[in-house]
Amino acid sequence: MQPITHEQLSAWSEAYQQSPERQLATLSLSKANLADVAFVSSQAGALRPKFSIDIETMEVTNQKSSGRCWLFAATNVLRERIAKEKNIEFFELSQSYLAFWDKFERANYFLESILKTASLPTDDRTVMHILATGVHDGGQWDMFANIVRKYGVVPKDAFDETYQSSNTHQMNAVLNRSLKVEAVKLRGMVAAGASEEAIQAEKNDMLGKVYGFLCSCYGEPPKTFDFEYVDKDKAYHIETGYTPLTFSERYVGTLLDDIVSIIHAPTADKPYHKTFTIRLLGNIVGGKDVVHLNLTMDEFKAAIIRQLEAGKVVWFGSDVGHYGERTLGLWDDSMFNFELLSGLDLSISKEDALDYGLAAMDHAMVITGVNIQNGKPNRWKIENSWGDKNGTKGYYICSDSWFDMYVFQAAVEREYLGELAGFTAQEPIVLEPWDPIGTLAD
C-alpha cells in the first residue's frame, strides 16, 4: 500500500487552482444542490407525457412514511381489474391488511431462520445477514403472492390505515429489537440442549406477543366483511358475507399462479433463460419460494409490452436512487451531467453495478404505458405510490436508457412470455442471501 505524498498533494492543488472548470464548479456548488447544477433541462423536456400505449388507470395511492411500495404496486395491479369489472371510478385494496400479515409471518420466518442457523457463530455471514435484515417493510412479488394465497385480500375500507401503518419506522425498530432479544434466548436454548418442544413453545409465546403488538399498531384484521361500493353511474352496491379468502377467490382467482417474476441480471453467475431462487429469502414458512426467470433485456421488454398491449398494467422493480428528478417525476440517465460537473468518471455497466453494489432493486411501481417509435420504446409511463404532488398527478416517466440500466424485475402473466414460459419449469439455481437479486423493494 502506497501513502499519499506531499509532492502529489502539491501537484493536485496546482491542477485544481489552474482549472477553469473546477473553479466554476466550486462557485456553482457553494450555493446550490449538486443535482440542480448538473440538471440538463433539454433532456427533461424530451420526456413528454405522451404514449402510444397508455392504459387508463385510477388516481395514484400514497404509501406515506412506510416502505410498502411492493404492496401498493401489487394491489394497484389487482384493483384495476376489480374496478373495471365493477365499473368503479376509484378503489383501493387494503395495503395495511397485507402488511399486518407480512410482518407477523416474517417474524416467524426470522425466528425459524435463527433456529436453523443456531449452531453457527454470530459472526457467520449468514447469521449476520439474518440479524441485519430483521423484519422490515420491503418485499418482492412472490412474497406478496404468498400472503394473498394464505390470507386473502380485503377492500381498504374494510381495514384502513392507522398512524403506525403509514409511519413504520418506530414500530419496526421496536419489533426488531424484540426479535433480536428473542434470538438471544432461542440460540441460548439450543446451545443448552433444550428440547424442540420447549424451543417451539418459547417461540410461539413470542409470536403471541408479536400478534398483540401488531394488533395495537394496525388493529386486528377482519375475519368477515361486506363489500360496499358506488359505481360510476352513482349506483350503490353491497355484497355481503365475505371472508378475506373468499373475496380473493372471487376477485383474484388464479391470477397469482399465472404470473411469473422475470428479471434482467446480466451478471456472469446468472445465465439467461435460467431460473433462480435466494436462500433464506421469504416471508411465510412453508410458502412458495421466490423464483425469478432471467431474460435478456429485449425479451424482458417484449413480455411487458405484450401485457400492456393487452390492456393490463405491470408490476416492476427498479433502483430509483439514480438520475431522478422527483418534482418533475422523471428518471433519465442523461438528464444530469454529473461527469462534467464533478470531473469524475461515473460510467459503469449494469453487470458491474450489480456485482459491485452500486445498483439493485429498491422500489416497486406499476408500468401503465409506453411510447414506441420505429418499433422501439423510448419512454415509459409509471404509476408511483408517493402521492399526487409530484410528476403528473403522481405519475412518472422514465427514459428507455434509464429502464435498461435500473429496471431489474417485473411480474408478467405467463401467456405474454410466449415460448419463454417453458423455461419456468426448471429447478431454480440457489443464490446466497446477500445476492443483489434478493434485495427488497421498499
Side-chain angles (χ1 to χ4, degrees):
M1 298 178 69
Q2 293 187 347
I4 295 172
T5 67
H6 290 290
E7 290 78 8
Q8 288 174 316
L9 287 173
S10 179
W12 293 332
S13 175
E14 183 177 355
Y16 165 74
Q17 295 293 338
Q18 293 181 359
S19 169
E21 293 86 355
R22 290 300 93 221
Q23 297 307 307
L24 180 60
T26 301
L27 291 174
S28 301
L29 294 175
S30 65
K31 287 288 187 177
N33 178 277
L34 194 149
D36 290 340
V37 177
F39 185 69
V40 182
S41 58
S42 60
Q43 288 300 124
L47 292 176
R48 302 175 185 89
K50 296 177 175 63
F51 307 90
S52 57
I53 301 173
D54 191 352
I55 300 171
E56 183 179 354
T57 47
M58 285 178 274
E59 296 175 10
V60 298
T61 52
N62 194 340
Q63 68 188 80
K64 298 186 178 177
S65 297
S66 73
R68 299 172 292 163
C69 64
W70 60 294
L71 295 175
F72 273 74
T75 53
N76 286 346
V77 169
L78 296 185
R79 71 172 178 153
E80 293 294 337
R81 301 179 187 228
I82 298 171
K84 183 177 181 180
E85 177 183 336
K86 294 299 181 182
N87 193 34
I88 304 173
E89 186 171 5
F90 183 77
F91 173 70
E92 282 187 73
L93 292 166
S94 173
Q95 304 90 1
S96 289
Y97 176 82
L98 298 170
F100 177 99
W101 290 119
D102 176 66
K103 283 278 195 299
F104 182 64
E105 286 283 351
R106 211 177 301 195
N108 184 53
Y109 198 98
F110 171 86
L111 295 175
E112 285 293 324
S113 298
I114 287 295
L115 290 172
K116 187 175 183 178
T117 57
S119 63
L120 301 174
T122 53
D123 62 357
D124 174 84
R125 187 173 184 182
T126 298
V127 177
M128 292 174 67
H129 176 82
I130 295 168
L131 293 171
T133 303
V135 171
H136 62 98
D137 292 348
Q140 294 199 2
W141 173 266
D142 285 334
M143 296 164 72
F144 162 76
N146 273 339
I147 307 167
V148 176
R149 288 189 186 103
K150 185 168 182 178
Y151 294 102
V153 292
V154 305
K156 189 166 187 173
D157 58 11
F159 196 66
D160 210 341
E161 295 287 303
T162 67
Y163 179 87
Q164 302 304 326
S165 71
S166 299
N167 301 270
T168 57
H169 176 75
Q170 193 62 60
M171 174 181 66
N172 288 345
V174 170
L175 180 58
N176 279 297
R177 182 184 180 99
S178 71
L179 288 171
K180 289 188 178 183
V181 170
E182 185 66 15
V184 174
K185 294 178 184 177
L186 292 176
R187 284 173 61 90
M189 291 179 72
V190 172
S195 68
E196 178 66 17
E197 183 180 13
I199 290 170
Q200 286 298 322
E202 169 62 31
K203 187 201 78 169
N204 290 336
D205 180 66
M206 170 61 176
L207 288 175
K209 295 174 182 176
V210 169
Y211 183 85
F213 174 63
L214 292 176
C215 286
S216 296
C217 292
Y218 290 89
E220 188 167 21
K223 297 176 176 63
T224 61
F225 62 93
D226 298 331
F227 180 29
E228 296 182 83
Y229 63 94
V230 176
D231 65 25
K232 292 180 181 178
D233 299 321
K234 308 305 180 185
Y236 169 83
H237 304 266
I238 183 169
E239 298 174 6
T240 62
Y242 278 115
T243 69
L245 281 173
T246 58
F247 186 80
S248 180
E249 289 165 5
R250 168 64 181 83
Y251 287 105
V252 181
T254 61
L255 175 63
L256 299 180
D257 295 327
D258 296 332
I259 290 180
V260 175
S261 172
I262 58 174
I263 58 172
H264 179 247
T267 52
D269 63 331
K270 298 180 185 69
Y272 293 128
H273 305 152
K274 297 292 184 182
T275 59
F276 299 88
T277 188
I278 300 93
R279 184 168 64 90
L280 294 176
L281 176 63
N283 56 348
I284 295 183
V285 175
K288 290 189 176 182
D289 291 338
V290 172
V291 177
H292 306 300
L293 171 62
N294 196 20
L295 300 178
T296 69
M297 182 50 82
D298 285 345
E299 294 167 339
F300 185 91
K301 290 180 183 176
I304 292 172
I305 291 171
R306 283 193 289 269
Q307 184 158 322
L308 292 174
E309 288 174 333
K312 301 173 183 177
V313 299
V314 179
W315 184 102
F316 81 109
S318 62
D319 188 338
V320 297
H322 305 268
Y323 301 101
E325 212 296 332
R326 186 160 181 164
T327 302
L328 296 175
L330 304 175
W331 286 290
D332 181 12
D333 51 326
S334 56
M335 192 168 59
F336 298 90
N337 197 335
F338 290 117
E339 290 198 345
L340 176 62
L341 180 62
S342 67
L344 303 173
D345 181 6
L346 303 177
S347 60
I348 192 170
S349 69
K350 190 172 187 177
E351 175 183 7
D352 290 338
L354 283 166
D355 283 342
Y356 284 79
L358 178 65
M361 181 183 73
D362 65 2
H363 187 55
M365 299 175 287
V366 178
I367 300 172
T368 67
V370 61
N371 190 61
I372 299 177
Q373 288 187 347
N374 301 318
K376 298 286 186 181
N378 65 357
R379 57 182 176 266
W380 301 77
K381 183 180 179 184
I382 297 167
E383 178 184 4
N384 206 346
S385 56
W386 291 345
D388 61 2
K389 302 304 180 186
N390 296 320
T392 304
K393 296 183 178 180
Y395 281 83
Y396 288 58
I397 302 170
C398 79
S399 68
D400 191 59
S401 59
W402 187 91
F403 189 108
D404 285 342
M405 182 69 182
Y406 297 111
V407 172
F408 296 98
Q409 182 185 0
V412 299
E413 292 183 45
R414 192 178 304 273
E415 65 178 294
Y416 303 114
L417 288 174
E419 62 183 16
L420 296 171
F423 293 120
T424 62
Q426 301 172 79
E427 187 70 22
I429 297 167
V430 180
L431 303 172
E432 292 297 336
W434 41 86
D435 189 276
I437 295 303
T439 59
L440 303 178
D442 61 5

